[in-house]
Amino acid sequence: MDRLHLHCSLLAILLALAPVLAPAAPDHSRLGKDLTPIGAERAGNADGTIPAWDGGLTKPPAGWTREKGYIDPFPEDKPLFTITGANVEQYKSKLTTGEIALLKKYPSSR
């Protein structure tokens, strides 16, 4: 019986803490203003590597047909840089600890 009481007590504590541990409710009044309709920030970042969101794709890309299927909607976009194991130290500030470890372990990855 002691284990049953322990488990019930732990369950009661977890249920009591659930509202405290739950994330804060989003501010829905910002949707469509400074946030996109799904809650992401509209503004780009300061260094320009993430552009501002301007509404997304509103019509199929030029040249798209149902028969062809997927077509690159941004063919003019070119990479600003490529991070590999050889230059991982240069871009360390843009990476997580796990990404850095993977690039060092697999230097041909990018």
Side-chain angles (χ1 to χ4, degrees), residues 36-37 42 52-59 74:
T36 67
R42 260 185 199 271
W53 185 78
D54 61 2
L57 298 175
T58 57
K59 60 183 180 177
F74 307 105

Side-chain angles (χ1 to χ4, degrees), residues 10 14 22 24 27-28 31 35-36 55 59 61 70 81-82 87 92 101 104:
L10 289 174
L14 287 173
D27 181 1
H28 296 292
L31 294 177
L35 299 179
T36 67
K59 60 183 180 177
Y70 177 79
F81 49 84
T82 300
N87 65 1
K92 202 173 190 174
K104 287 182 176 182

Side-chain angles (χ1 to χ4, degrees), residues 30-79:
R30 295 175 53 203
L31 294 177
K33 295 177 183 119
D34 65 316
L35 299 179
T36 67
I38 61 168
E41 291 183 22
R42 260 185 199 271
N45 64 353
D47 65 1
T49 56
I50 300 174
W53 185 78
D54 61 2
L57 298 175
T58 57
K59 60 183 180 177
W64 181 86
T65 64
R66 185 176 299 277
E67 294 76 32
K68 280 185 187 176
Y70 177 79
I71 187 169
D72 185 356
F74 307 105
E76 67 281 352
D77 282 2
K78 302 297 178 222

